[in-house]
Amino acid sequence: MAAKPAHHSVWPTSTTIPLSLTNPSVEWSYRQSPLPALSGPDDILKAVQADDGGKAWKECRQMPSLVQAELIEIGEARDPRIGDGEKDVQWIGEEDWIYKCQFSLPYPQSIYEDEHDELEKEIIFEGLDTIAVVYLDGKEILRSENMFHTHRIPLPSSSLSTTSKNHTLHLIFPSAFLHARKIEHFSTKNVVWNGDSSRVWVRKAGFGWGWDWGPVVMTVGPWKPIYISLFPRWAPRVVDWFPNPTIDLESGKSELEIEVTVTVPTAVAHRDHMTGTVEKCERFVAQLTLSSLYHASDSNSAHLNQTTGSRVLRKSALEIDVTQTNLRGDGSLRLKHKWEIEKREVDWWYPNGFGGAGEGDGQWKPSLYEIRLEVVDTLTGKPLQTFTKSIGFRSVRLVQRPLDDEEGCTFFFEINGKSMWVGGANWIPMDSFLTTTTPIRYRLWLEKLVEARMTMVRVWGGGIYESDEFYSICDELGILVWQDFAFACGQYPAHPSFLSSVRKEAEDNVRRLRSHPSLVVLCGNNEDYQIAESEGLEYDPQDHDGDWTKTTFPAREIYERLLPSVVSELAPDIYYHPGSPWGGKTSRDPTVGDIHQWNVWHGTQEPYQNWDQLSGRFVSEFGMQGFPSEKTVDFWLDGNQGERFPQSRMIGYHNKAAGFERRLELYLVENIRHSFDIPSYIYATQLIQAETLSWAYRVWRRNWKGPGKEYNAGALVWQLNDVYPCTSWSIVDYFLRPKPAYFAIRSALAPLAINLKRVTRQVRRSDKPFTALVKEEVFVEAWITSSLLSPCSCVYTLEAFDLVTGEKVEGWGTAETGIAVEVEANRSKELGEWKISGYSGAAVVKGGANAYNKGQLVVCGTLRRAGSDEILGRHSSWPEPYKFLSFPSPSTTALSICPHQSTPAALTFQISAQTPVKGLILELSSDDYELEDNCLDLIPREQRLLKVKRRLSSEVTGQNDVVLKWKYLSKENGETLDLGANVNGK
């Protein structure tokens, strides 16, 4: 046994001291450098030390901190979210800045139980944005050039006193923008899509350089926590641990393998001074405990802090066996332990909603368990270190195999042996100022994704590796995570120092994220292979052995060698994908891998009705712009009524997409008639965005046809969120206000959905094959999509109504009782087609230019569960384009929206109309309440119930005077209803 130091009576525990504003012994301040930008850090330090008490220092209001957010809070910089405030913060990113932290460690000596020189000391910087030089008490301790690095800086025992002595940290942040420009000047100007071309030379998140949906905000500062770690130098210390649960699909059993890496000071064990060998030490053990945390069988557990009581499933103690043969070259020791778990002893982790829509449908949930690790001194029974992680037992496989009757191969995810069609969204950073993100904001955003029936979020490569809270909430809510490494739309370098920085970046973040059951893909980059192809870089996909660093596409070394080697070593069970898109003969190959389908909006600017011709095996990006809420527009206009029209400078300033005016108007003018006042224009763009995106989900999901016919296996819309208030491709705006497209997508992703498509065919006379005279025949195709993992007995009905009169067309479609159908599990089912071209109703204009119009017939489909009146899905097919339709007057439509039932938590409306209604969009004046559904198509005389729920989050405003506004196609000026006391259940 190791000899204990004579002056030790009790072994101390580890202590973490946050250098945050919540610590009364810590003071943070910041200032602009008094010297010109990119001056030497030592010169800057001398200059600020000479003026240590000067007025240039400003007290920090937050920590972590960013200079821009600090200056905005005290009114010394304009808010880029409002007006053209973005212009007035650009100077900040082109100056050098200094942060100063004065602190002491005035903790009672009894905490340490010994002299301070018996403690190992580290300062941990979880993230510095971006170029940084750090000094402790005037001595340099760190240089960093990567905002994605975590730095653990060991300190000499004499460098930090655990008495009341004050210490000072100086963090000097040279301008990342000017630093990158300087490197570019002496290197090459590389190709980028979005942002300044110099951005590829610096490891700073791409979005801050400006993107086609976000402002240029070159943030600077300590953007993640900083803290001091004190640890007894005589004890072994955990530096990494990895619990890796796996399941055996055949037997139903599970395993949990835990790997723990500890550093072992030589003083832990007795060293024979004659031979130098280390003898066995039995004093310390690593205790492992596996407990239940959140059960799939517990339908009332919504959050991790609402667990219904944990139970210990396994407990083991691992001896920290320090012998010469066990120690690794770096002096560390790796411990391994495995638990075998019987069938049904644990519940497996599944994505949200996977398997069914309700009772009896075989639906599973994201079951979580807690694994706890404690390093214990067996002499005292005292834990020296304690760690916990939440884990889930699951298997994930990305299946790429040949298809039965199409070229290429599949690209679908198999969770616990069950294949799934994935509907989801792309995620960009939540805010231009990353320090403003909070766990509650993450939860609200991710709950929005789940409420939209989405099962995957792709964390885009131009952003960041998100916070631990983000992934923990995804674990809890059952959201699959596709994580890009932080490379996007650029020709990145690959010189040795850059590769070294990227390797540490990858290792830091893969270690941090790998235990999350939600993480299923690690992807090398976003669109960098498309850059190589489009810009003619030296890229030969058949060259697998060359020195790519000597080509004009050197980053292949990162995407195809460096990153996969890190993932293989640290997270071998997580699928690595070299890039997105990637997989076929080119990155645009729809038959292999994933594609970004931008031939709607970008590219060839196809009509959105052509989505079924623009499919791919897995569509990881597609989108359409739509204006945000009128309230959001008014926020950035900030009362400037002179700018409140669609073509105004300030409306345009908050849309960063090149050519957005032409593209928006192209899709509007092709489909609808519209006006140019703000309310009408917002409605028009929102309606087209909803129609565009929901149609993509419907027709691509149709191509999920069962084993061997998985022609399309998923679609991730670009994008879920915004970094600031703007017009973009987002389906929920910056203030968490869902756009109508959000609800249209939610409808398309129903576990059981009925879908209709109108098809026009031209037929020539058989006796005159060369005639130019053709006859048009119009059909409606119908199909059902199912994500259930068991068959379901359903009944569907098809009805047709005259648009102008609302009269039902008797004898067309199905009988009123509907047609029974057995819907097979987890695939689409074709129902057939119905001819409608012979109808001539009241809306037909005889002769003239409209003579070809056979009628204005609206076809409505409904799907019910057999033996029940419950409607599982609705969809309607309208003649297109809508701009050619003759709509009835509002008095004929007679839309009625009136309160139906009221409780303190919700208000239910009853909605009905006498004629078909297209695109009924409702909006509430208060964010304290939210609509359960929106963007509705109405069937004549059907009574629809719509619930308005009171938000339960902490971000409510207390506003009780609520007005409901609504619009629909042909009545874009809308109507209002003052809800008054109804929203309060009175």
Side-chain angles (χ1 to χ4, degrees):
M1 182 177 292
K4 181 178 68 174
H7 54 277
H8 252 300
S9 58
V10 179
W11 293 69
T13 60
S14 59
T15 302
T16 297
I17 303 168
L19 297 185
S20 66
L21 299 183
T22 59
N23 186 337
S25 301
V26 173
E27 294 180 357
W28 278 97
S29 54
Y30 67 101
R31 61 164 293 170
Q32 183 179 344
S33 170
L35 302 183
L38 297 189
S39 295
D42 288 348
D43 295 334
I44 295 174
L45 180 64
K46 290 177 184 177
V48 297
Q49 286 177 327
D51 185 31
D52 192 51
K55 294 182 180 180
W57 289 101
K58 306 177 192 299
E59 180 183 351
C60 287
R61 301 292 185 92
Q62 53 185 254
M63 183 55 59
S65 171
L66 294 172
V67 170
Q68 288 90 338
E70 295 279 4
L71 293 176
I72 290 168
E73 186 169 346
I74 62 175
E76 293 192 13
R78 289 182 62 196
D79 189 339
R81 301 178 305 166
I82 299 173
D84 58 2
E86 174 190 350
K87 294 179 179 179
D88 291 342
V89 297
Q90 296 311 307
W91 67 274
I92 300 172
E94 297 186 22
E95 296 290 341
D96 298 345
W97 294 86
I98 305 98
Y99 277 80
K100 179 174 67 175
C101 177
Q102 294 177 304
F103 66 97
S104 61
L105 307 178
Y107 291 87
Q109 191 72 17
S110 60
I111 286 183
Y112 304 106
E113 314 243 359
D114 219 309
E115 298 300 326
H116 69 269
D117 62 357
E118 301 299 339
L119 293 169
E120 296 280 358
K121 306 179 184 71
E122 286 184 338
I123 298 184
I124 293 90
F125 302 88
E126 288 195 359
L128 301 172
D129 182 11
T130 291
I131 314 300
V133 182
V134 182
Y135 299 84
L136 175 62
D137 295 333
K139 296 181 179 179
E140 182 181 318
I141 61 172
L142 171 66
R143 284 181 179 250
S144 178
E145 295 188 357
N146 189 320
M147 73 176 288
F148 306 118
H149 282 179
T150 296
H151 300 282
R152 305 183 71 95
I153 309 301
L155 301 172
S157 59
S158 59
S159 62
L160 279 182
S161 172
T162 54
T163 64
S164 60
K165 177 185 175 182
N166 289 327
H167 301 280
T168 303
L169 274 175
H170 284 96
L171 287 72
I172 297 177
F173 290 93
S175 166
F177 178 77
L178 296 182
H179 180 82
R181 281 289 188 92
K182 183 177 180 180
I183 295 175
E184 181 184 62
H185 177 75
F186 291 104
S187 302
T188 59
K189 186 170 184 177
N190 288 3
V191 177
V192 299
W193 295 340
N194 291 291
D196 191 84
S197 60
S198 66
R199 67 176 173 83
V200 297
W201 295 98
V202 173
R203 295 306 295 145
K204 177 177 175 62
F207 80 103
W209 302 75
W211 223 264
D212 53 7
W213 36 256
V216 178
V217 182
M218 294 294 290
T219 53
V220 54
W223 73 288
K224 282 191 168 186
I226 302 171
Y227 48 92
I228 295 172
S229 174
L230 305 176
F231 192 84
R233 68 170 56 248
W234 303 102
R237 182 178 188 181
V238 174
V239 293
D240 189 25
W241 72 301
F242 177 33
N244 186 24
T246 58
I247 64 175
D248 185 285
L249 296 175
E250 186 173 342
S251 68
K253 295 181 180 181
S254 306
E255 287 186 347
L256 177 57
E257 185 172 357
I258 306 104
E259 185 177 282
V260 183
T261 303
V262 296
T263 56
V264 185
T266 55
V268 168
H270 172 69
R271 182 181 293 274
D272 188 308
H273 294 287
M274 297 295 293
T275 65
T277 60
V278 179
E279 298 176 0
K280 187 174 181 180
C281 172
E282 299 176 344
R283 177 162 187 174
F284 302 99
V285 296
Q287 289 186 351
L288 296 167
T289 307
L290 175 67
S291 304
S292 64
L293 187 60
Y294 172 45
H295 294 288
S297 57
D298 182 7
S299 60
N300 293 319
S301 292
H303 303 297
L304 292 180
N305 61 1
Q306 296 177 350
T307 54
T308 56
S310 63
R311 55 191 175 94
V312 175
L313 301 174
R314 294 288 188 279
K315 195 166 186 176
S316 298
L318 308 184
E319 183 180 302
I320 300 179
D321 181 8
V322 182
T323 62
Q324 189 72 33
T325 56
N326 285 347
L327 288 177
R328 304 164 76 197
D330 59 0
S332 67
L333 176 69
R334 181 167 292 174
L335 309 175
K336 290 187 177 182
H337 187 68
K338 182 186 292 185
W339 284 317
E340 294 185 355
I341 299 170
E342 294 300 315
K343 185 176 182 179
R344 296 191 179 88
E345 196 174 354
V346 294
D347 293 324
W348 292 351
W349 186 94
Y350 282 92
N352 75 86
F354 189 49
E359 185 178 356
D361 285 332
Q363 185 176 13
W364 297 293
K365 293 185 180 179
S367 302
L368 294 176
Y369 294 83
E370 181 184 85
I371 177 73
R372 175 181 291 265
L373 167 64
E374 291 182 314
V375 176
V376 178
D377 178 359
T378 60
L379 292 185
T380 64
K382 190 173 185 178
L384 303 178
Q385 283 182 294
T386 300
F387 306 90
T388 60
K389 288 186 179 182
S390 296
I391 60 171
F393 291 85
R394 57 100 176 106
S395 74
V396 177
R397 191 164 72 102
L398 183 64
V399 180
Q400 299 183 77
R401 66 187 181 205
L403 291 152
D404 285 352
D405 51 7
E406 286 192 11
E407 63 178 289
C409 60
T410 64
F411 192 95
F412 69 85
F413 291 90
E414 190 179 81
I415 310 297
N416 301 337
K418 311 291 185 182
S419 60
M420 66 181 299
W421 192 92
V422 173
N426 284 269
W427 171 271
I428 62 175
M430 188 196 300
D431 204 291
S432 290
F433 302 122
L434 296 169
T435 53
T436 66
T437 61
T438 62
I440 185 62
R441 287 185 72 189
Y442 277 124
R443 179 169 294 280
L444 290 171
W445 273 109
L446 292 170
E447 285 179 344
K448 275 281 180 284
L449 186 139
V450 171
E451 289 163 6
R453 297 171 174 145
M454 293 183 176
T455 51
M456 176 175 280
V457 62
R458 173 178 173 241
V459 183
W460 168 73
I464 62 173
Y465 307 94
E466 281 292 349
S467 73
D468 294 335
E469 289 86 357
F470 176 92
Y471 302 96
S472 294
I473 295 169
C474 287
D475 294 342
E476 175 194 340
L477 297 180
I479 301 169
L480 301 174
V481 176
W482 171 314
Q483 174 72 54
D484 284 357
F485 284 94
F487 300 89
C489 300
Q491 181 189 6
Y492 288 87
H495 51 271
S497 61
F498 194 87
L499 292 176
S500 176
S501 179
V502 170
R503 179 173 290 278
K504 174 174 168 51
E505 169 188 327
E507 291 174 345
D508 285 353
N509 287 286
V510 171
R511 280 195 175 98
R512 180 170 68 93
L513 304 181
R514 62 185 173 177
S515 294
H516 288 280
S518 56
L519 182 63
V520 297
V521 177
L522 287 166
C523 178
N525 68 82
N526 173 81
E527 294 186 355
D528 289 358
Y529 284 94
Q530 285 196 337
I531 286 266
E533 293 164 356
S534 299
E535 304 296 334
L537 304 186
E538 295 169 321
Y539 171 43
D540 178 6
Q542 304 305 314
D543 174 17
H544 301 292
D545 304 311
D547 184 356
W548 300 324
T549 63
K550 295 180 179 179
T551 71
T552 55
F553 186 25
R556 280 189 78 187
E557 183 71 25
I558 298 172
Y559 310 143
E560 297 181 42
R561 289 175 181 157
L562 189 156
L563 294 178
S565 70
V566 171
V567 174
S568 176
E569 177 186 356
L570 299 179
D573 294 332
I574 297 177
Y575 171 74
Y576 176 79
H577 196 52
S580 181
W582 192 87
K585 298 174 184 177
T586 72
S587 61
R588 291 175 171 82
D589 187 342
T591 67
V592 180
D594 71 312
I595 64 166
H596 292 184
Q597 184 46 271
W598 282 109
N599 281 323
V600 170
W601 183 271
H602 289 302
T604 56
Q605 298 180 19
E606 300 284 330
Y608 71 80
Q609 292 86 349
N610 291 354
W611 278 129
D612 53 349
Q613 303 166 39
L614 302 171
S615 184
R617 299 296 177 237
F618 192 98
V619 184
S620 47
E621 282 190 23
F622 71 102
M624 173 58 67
Q625 281 205 352
F627 264 65
S629 162
E630 195 171 337
K631 292 180 289 186
T632 300
V633 173
D634 285 335
F635 173 86
W636 83 63
L637 290 179
D638 196 28
N640 188 347
Q641 294 299 308
E643 293 285 313
R644 204 174 189 271
F645 58 96
Q647 302 91 345
S648 76
R649 183 175 67 91
M650 210 54 66
I651 293 294
Y653 196 74
H654 282 253
N655 190 330
K656 301 299 185 180
F660 71 87
E661 301 95 337
R662 298 192 308 275
R663 288 174 167 85
L664 270 178
E665 196 55 40
L666 169 66
Y667 286 97
L668 295 183
V669 76
E670 280 187 344
N671 291 282
I672 60 174
R673 305 188 297 270
H674 69 90
S675 302
F676 283 91
D677 59 280
I678 276 289
S680 298
Y681 199 77
I682 289 175
Y683 173 85
T685 66
Q686 289 182 343
L687 176 65
I688 293 304
Q689 185 191 37
E691 292 284 296
T692 301
L693 300 182
S694 62
W695 187 238
Y697 278 103
R698 289 183 184 276
V699 297
W700 290 339
R701 198 176 172 199
R702 184 183 192 179
N703 288 330
W704 178 253
K705 294 180 178 293
K709 301 180 185 297
E710 301 96 341
Y711 307 122
N712 174 273
L716 308 179
V717 69
W718 185 271
Q719 63 214 58
L720 177 68
N721 58 318
D722 282 324
V723 297
Y724 89 136
C726 65
T727 299
S728 76
W729 296 270
S730 72
I731 60 172
V732 182
D733 76 25
Y734 175 79
F735 293 108
L736 269 165
R737 295 164 181 155
K739 299 179 185 178
Y742 171 90
F743 296 98
I745 292 169
R746 181 180 182 273
S747 177
L749 291 178
L752 284 165
I754 188 168
N755 311 272
L756 307 177
K757 178 185 177 182
R758 192 168 296 227
V759 179
T760 300
R761 302 187 183 118
Q762 293 185 339
V763 180
R764 285 182 170 82
R765 290 178 53 176
S766 60
D767 59 336
K768 293 184 178 181
F770 303 109
T771 181
L773 300 175
V774 297
K775 179 176 67 173
E776 286 189 340
E777 294 184 344
V778 182
F779 299 83
V780 168
E781 299 174 349
W783 69 95
I784 295 172
T785 49
S786 171
S787 61
L788 307 186
L789 295 186
S790 57
C792 185
S793 298
C794 297
V795 174
Y796 70 93
T797 58
L798 293 180
E799 301 174 289
F801 299 89
D802 184 274
L803 172 58
V804 173
T805 67
E807 295 177 359
K808 181 178 177 180
V809 180
E810 299 297 337
W812 190 93
T814 67
E816 288 189 9
T817 54
I819 297 176
V821 59
E822 190 72 11
V823 181
E824 295 179 81
N826 198 20
R827 68 192 66 187
S828 65
K829 181 178 182 63
E830 297 295 323
L831 300 178
E833 64 178 29
W834 284 257
K835 187 175 180 180
I836 63 173
S837 57
Y839 172 69
S840 296
V844 176
V845 178
K846 303 296 182 182
N850 291 325
Y852 68 90
N853 190 347
K854 303 300 181 183
Q856 297 198 128
L857 198 66
V858 178
V859 176
C860 304
T862 57
L863 184 67
R864 292 176 170 82
R865 194 183 301 274
S868 170
D869 291 333
E870 176 194 1
I871 295 179
L872 302 173
R874 299 179 176 87
H875 193 220
S876 60
S877 172
W878 288 58
E880 295 186 69
Y882 305 135
K883 63 184 179 182
F884 292 157
L885 299 180
S886 298
F887 290 93
S889 66
S891 60
T892 301
T893 297
L895 178 64
S896 170
I897 301 178
C898 58
H900 175 69
Q901 187 178 12
S902 181
T903 69
L907 170 66
T908 303
F909 292 99
Q910 184 171 277
I911 304 176
S912 64
Q914 297 304 306
T915 67
V917 170
K918 182 68 185 176
L920 174 62
I921 294 176
L922 306 99
E923 185 172 9
L924 295 162
S925 60
S926 169
D927 289 334
D928 289 356
Y929 304 87
E930 55 188 354
L931 294 160
E932 192 174 60
D933 202 358
N934 206 342
C935 198
L936 309 174
D937 290 352
L938 302 182
I939 299 174
R941 294 168 293 281
E942 180 189 29
Q943 302 295 323
R944 293 280 296 270
L945 296 180
L946 178 64
K947 185 178 291 186
V948 175
K949 301 180 294 183
R950 181 186 288 271
R951 286 178 59 182
L952 300 179
S953 77
S954 61
E955 299 188 0
V956 296
T957 64
Q959 180 180 351
N960 288 321
D961 297 328
V962 183
V963 174
L964 177 69
K965 298 191 293 184
W966 66 84
K967 308 166 188 175
Y968 57 89
L969 191 59
S970 80
K971 190 170 175 55
E972 294 81 8
N973 57 347
E975 297 182 27
T976 62
L977 174 65
D978 189 344
L979 303 185
N982 287 297
V983 295
N984 298 310
K986 297 179 182 177

